[in-house]
Structure formats: C-alpha cells, structure tokens
C-alpha cells in the first residue's frame, strides 16, 4: 500500500469447483473508497504474481507499476508458470493526499501494459522479491535437516534492463 492505495492485479476465482485465473486490475483507496475501482485489465492472465510500485528516478512522486511472474491454470487444471514481466504504461502521481493516474496513450493507441522481459528458467516453486531497484529470483533448496532454504539464482536490474546470474553456494 502506498499513500493508502491498494493495487490488486490478477488472481483466481473458484467457480463450479474450477479455479479460473484472470488478469483483472483493481485499485482501492483505503478509508476513502467504498468499492474497488476497475483499471485496465491485464492481457496475460496470472495468479500469485509479484506487483511492484516503483518510484521513478525523475520524481519520487511518480510511480511505475510492474507485474512479475505468477501462474495460470490450463484446461487440464494444471498450474503453469508465467515467466513474464510487464509494466503498466500509466504514470501514477502521488502527493500527500492522493494518488493521481495519468494515462499514456500515443496516436497509435499503444497498449497500457508493456512487455519488459522474460524471467529465465522460472519454476512454480521459485520465489520473487524486490529490493534495491532489482527483481530477485530465488529457488527453494531442501537442507539436510529437512528444512527449506532460499538461494538467490538471478537478479533483474530495472535501470540497465539486464539479468545477472548469481553464484551458487
């Protein structure tokens, strides 16, 4: 939550004993709105994605929204990894009271969601996190004590648009 704004992108619904993933995008101003506001839906459906709101370098009051990873359910009811990262082509401007949305649309009616990168070799059991302006991918490793430990495998730098492979211990 940033300045009282909650963003929810994707997810799944249980209908008639079926799990259906979707790409809907909703926003709520906590304590002000009485209902969720529907934003531009996401074309690639996914559940359990990492949603990032990152301040732009030019102004700490402008935010970029990214959606990374997740999964979808195929027609055989099997989960399949979604390894893409997208950015919302909107600018969200924050002041001390509200979050304002400015939509970028050029003359060619550019889509509101822009593809950024694929996450290499992403597995359903991998974890995604964000720290220090970077997207981090970790894998779960079973230790000798039958406990799971996370090991960083790769990092995506949003400033250089490059993946960095991490050394394995």
């Amino acid at each position: 939550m940033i300045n009282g704004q909650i963003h929810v992108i994707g997810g799944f619904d249980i209908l008639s004993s079926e799990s259906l993933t979707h790409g809907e995008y909703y926003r709520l101003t906590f304590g002000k709105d009485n209902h969720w506001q529907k934003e531009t839906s996401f074309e690639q459906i996914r559940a359990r994605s990492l949603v990032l709101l990152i301040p732009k370098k030019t102004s700490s009051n402008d935010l970029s929204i990214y959606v990374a990873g997740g999964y979808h359910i195929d027609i055989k009811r099997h989960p399949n990894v979604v390894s893409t990262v997208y950015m919302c082509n909107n600018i969200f401007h924050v002041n001390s009271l509200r979050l304002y949305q400015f939509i970028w649309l050029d003359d060619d009616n550019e889509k509101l969601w822009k593809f950024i990168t694929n996450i290499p070799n992403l597995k359903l059991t991998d974890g995604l996190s964000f720290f220090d302006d970077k997207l981090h991918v970790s894998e779960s490793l079973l230790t000798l004590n039958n406990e799971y430990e996370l090991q960083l495998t790769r990092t995506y730098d949003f400033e250089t648009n490059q993946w960095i492979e991490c050394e394995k211990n």
Side-chain angles (χ1 to χ4, degrees):
M1 178 174 1
I2 294 184
N3 285 359
Q5 288 281 330
I6 301 171
H7 297 259
V8 177
I9 302 173
F12 60 93
D13 292 319
I14 306 297
L15 299 174
S16 302
S17 301
E18 290 187 37
S19 179
L20 304 172
T21 52
H22 57 81
E24 293 173 343
Y25 173 16
Y26 289 93
R27 187 168 49 89
L28 176 85
T29 302
F30 188 74
K32 178 182 174 232
D33 292 339
N34 294 326
H35 63 281
W36 289 89
Q37 297 176 27
K38 187 166 175 55
E39 301 291 340
T40 303
S41 291
F42 194 68
E43 290 179 17
Q44 190 173 24
I45 59 175
R46 61 182 73 201
R48 291 195 176 174
S49 57
L50 179 64
V51 178
L52 306 169
L53 284 91
I54 304 173
K56 292 189 174 287
K57 296 292 181 197
T58 54
S59 168
S60 61
N61 289 333
D62 291 337
L63 302 172
S64 293
I65 297 179
Y66 293 85
V67 176
Y71 70 90
H72 70 88
I73 306 294
D74 65 18
I75 58 172
K76 295 181 181 178
R77 296 185 181 180
H78 296 129
N80 292 293
V81 71
V82 177
S83 62
T84 54
V85 178
Y86 278 82
M87 180 185 77
C88 186
N89 264 346
N90 289 353
I91 296 176
F92 290 87
H93 181 77
V94 180
N95 71 15
S96 60
L97 301 175
R98 320 201 140 124
L99 186 100
Y100 296 98
Q101 177 180 12
F102 301 98
I103 300 175
W104 289 1
L105 277 179
D106 62 15
D107 294 336
D108 299 328
N109 281 332
E110 180 180 339
K111 292 184 189 283
L112 291 178
W113 289 96
K114 176 184 172 189
F115 173 79
I116 300 298
T117 187
N118 277 310
I119 303 170
N121 306 314
L122 185 66
K123 300 181 293 262
L124 282 173
T125 56
D126 286 347
L128 298 177
S129 59
F130 179 78
F131 178 73
D132 199 24
D133 293 332
K134 294 174 181 65
L135 174 67
H136 303 284
V137 181
S138 301
E139 65 181 344
S140 296
L141 301 174
L142 186 61
T143 66
L144 295 175
N145 300 334
N146 279 340
E147 295 176 356
Y148 283 95
E149 165 180 302
L150 290 178
Q151 181 173 10
L152 190 63
T153 57
R154 64 190 50 84
T155 297
Y156 183 75
D157 188 325
F158 285 95
E159 290 183 10
T160 64
N161 296 319
Q162 297 291 314
W163 281 101
I164 303 158
E165 295 294 319
C166 300
E167 290 185 26
K168 295 194 177 194
N169 297 332

